[in-house]
Amino acid sequence: MLDIIYQDQAIVVCVKPFRVISTDEPGGMPDLIREALGQPHAKVRAVHRLDQVVGGLMVYGLTGPAASELSRQIREDAFLKEYQAVVHWRPQYDEGTYVDLLGRNEKTRKTYVAKVPGKGIQQAILHYKLLDNRQGFSLVEIRLETGRTHQIRAQFSARGMPLAGDRKYSKYPDPPEWQIALWSSHLAFTHPETGEAMDFRLPPPATEPWTLFQDEP
């Protein structure tokens, strides 16, 4: 059963499982939300996305006006999205900003860091903070300023720090049972109807490689 964190007549905040499509396709998150709500004909509108292999917090609009207002907040940088990730090795600095030009190879379905501007090349900006470093892996917190396809994965991989469990952007032989170590951990936005400040946080699951940084109580 889908884990729903919050719901009202306008929005639903839930936990996207790994390897589930976030958009409205058969078996995607809107289908799972309709099933969890017991409303097979509910209008569930996606306002942001997560890669299919990634898990964590997402919010969906249940009305057209609510979805439009959330989309506006995202466009105008009034919607906070933070992630946690486990990467190979350690960033050079404990916190910083990565600014890159990103392109997209549609044949390989991979994002890459471009050296010069060009057609289809877009600027990508993220801010990170090192939370911990153990056994050759680092736990980092990431705030996106832009939302490019595979942005986090491509920007860290380009610096020799691919995400643990990432089969597309990493050449390291991580255990096959590892899911990609990227998790949507924090959402903050203004409720589209009431104007109330909404803030949701959820730690990563207690599975490898996250457990490297989750000390036993």
Side-chain angles (χ1 to χ4, degrees):
M1 179 64 74
L2 187 71
D3 189 3
I4 292 182
I5 304 297
Y6 173 89
Q7 72 171 100
D8 59 27
Q9 63 186 13
I11 64 171
V12 58
V13 179
C14 52
V15 184
K16 176 181 136 14
F18 293 105
R19 302 190 179 281
V20 172
I21 298 171
S22 62
T23 50
D24 199 0
E25 301 176 45
M29 282 296 293
D31 268 359
L32 297 186
I33 291 170
R34 294 182 190 105
E35 181 181 351
L37 296 178
Q39 301 175 24
H41 302 296
K43 301 294 185 182
V44 181
R45 295 168 168 86
V47 298
H48 65 121
R49 298 186 178 192
L50 285 181
D51 290 351
Q52 182 174 352
V53 294
V54 177
L57 290 171
M58 293 194 72
V59 58
Y60 288 81
L62 296 180
T63 68
S68 295
E69 169 57 18
L70 290 174
S71 296
R72 182 198 65 79
Q73 292 180 36
I74 292 172
R75 288 194 308 271
E76 298 180 5
D77 297 326
F79 187 116
L80 177 69
K81 292 182 286 185
E82 288 184 338
Y83 304 81
Q84 288 192 20
V86 177
V87 303
H88 285 268
W89 310 116
R90 180 187 178 120
Q92 183 177 3
Y93 303 104
D94 287 352
E95 58 184 291
T97 299
Y98 292 159
V99 181
D100 293 298
L101 296 173
L102 296 186
R104 182 79 176 158
N105 186 322
E106 293 301 336
K107 290 185 178 180
T108 63
R109 301 184 66 81
K110 290 181 69 174
T111 298
Y112 62 92
V113 172
K115 294 182 179 180
V116 295
K119 183 179 180 180
I121 303 298
Q122 295 179 301
Q123 186 181 63
I125 304 172
L126 67 76
H127 309 279
Y128 77 87
K129 180 179 180 181
L130 177 68
L131 301 179
D132 203 347
N133 175 261
R134 303 182 188 186
Q135 302 179 37
F137 293 93
S138 292
L139 177 66
V140 293
E141 184 177 76
I142 300 161
R143 177 170 61 84
L144 287 179
E145 194 167 314
T146 56
R148 312 305 181 200
T149 301
H150 294 180
Q151 177 179 338
I152 294 172
R153 300 162 70 182
Q155 287 191 275
F156 276 89
S157 177
R159 290 166 172 81
M161 297 178 293
L163 273 61
D166 191 345
R167 317 290 178 224
K168 184 178 286 284
Y169 291 91
S170 175
K171 296 181 180 179
Y172 290 106
D174 294 326
E177 66 271 17
W178 284 12
Q179 303 283 1
I180 188 171
L182 181 58
W183 183 256
S184 174
S185 59
H186 183 197
L187 297 180
F189 54 90
T190 301
H191 192 284
E193 287 192 350
T194 67
E196 179 184 357
M198 311 294 286
D199 195 291
F200 301 93
R201 298 174 187 265
L202 188 69
T207 56
E208 291 183 320
W210 302 106
T211 48
L212 289 172
F213 305 96
Q214 296 171 347
D215 296 323
E216 293 291 337

